[in-house]
Amino acid sequence: MGLTNNDIFKKLRVAHKLRDDDIVKICALVDFKVSKSELGAFFRNENHPKYMECGDQILRNFLNGLIIHLRGPMPTKDNTKQK
């Protein structure tokens, strides 16, 4: 059985030593709102009644925010060439 989005999210959280507050801030960098209670549902055991599957959109936005968090915002491209 392969990794689920929840597994990937959990592994990234542990690898980067992120707390729920950090993840909320990282998602906010890409204008994506996620609550601490939602995060708790993603990180629960699959057998827990309040467990929730992490969708592709949530993981994608987190990854995009993580890139900005680690590298900084993407520099703007200057269309005028210097001669």
Side-chain angles (χ1 to χ4, degrees):
M1 187 170 146
L3 290 175
T4 65
N5 286 349
N6 293 61
D7 295 333
I8 294 167
F9 208 175
K10 286 177 194 176
K11 289 181 182 295
L12 286 169
R13 177 184 175 196
V14 171
H16 290 282
K17 300 176 186 168
L18 299 172
R19 301 172 137 206
D20 289 346
D21 293 335
D22 300 328
I23 295 172
V24 170
K25 290 176 186 174
I26 288 170
C27 289
L29 291 173
V30 290
D31 297 328
F32 186 75
K33 293 181 182 179
V34 63
S35 68
K36 287 185 186 181
S37 59
E38 257 184 308
L39 292 175
F42 298 140
F43 300 131
R44 292 184 192 278
N45 188 332
E46 291 180 19
N47 299 328
H48 194 279
K50 301 244 180 179
Y51 171 81
M52 195 166 80
E53 282 192 28
C54 178
D56 293 340
Q57 180 183 11
I58 294 165
L59 187 59
R60 181 181 67 242
N61 281 303
F62 170 72
L63 290 172
N64 287 334
L66 187 62
I67 291 169
I68 294 170
H69 175 73
L70 296 175
R71 294 185 189 170
M74 189 172 178
T76 58
K77 292 184 180 180
D78 189 13
N79 291 337
T80 59
K81 296 185 179 185
Q82 296 177 355
K83 294 183 181 181

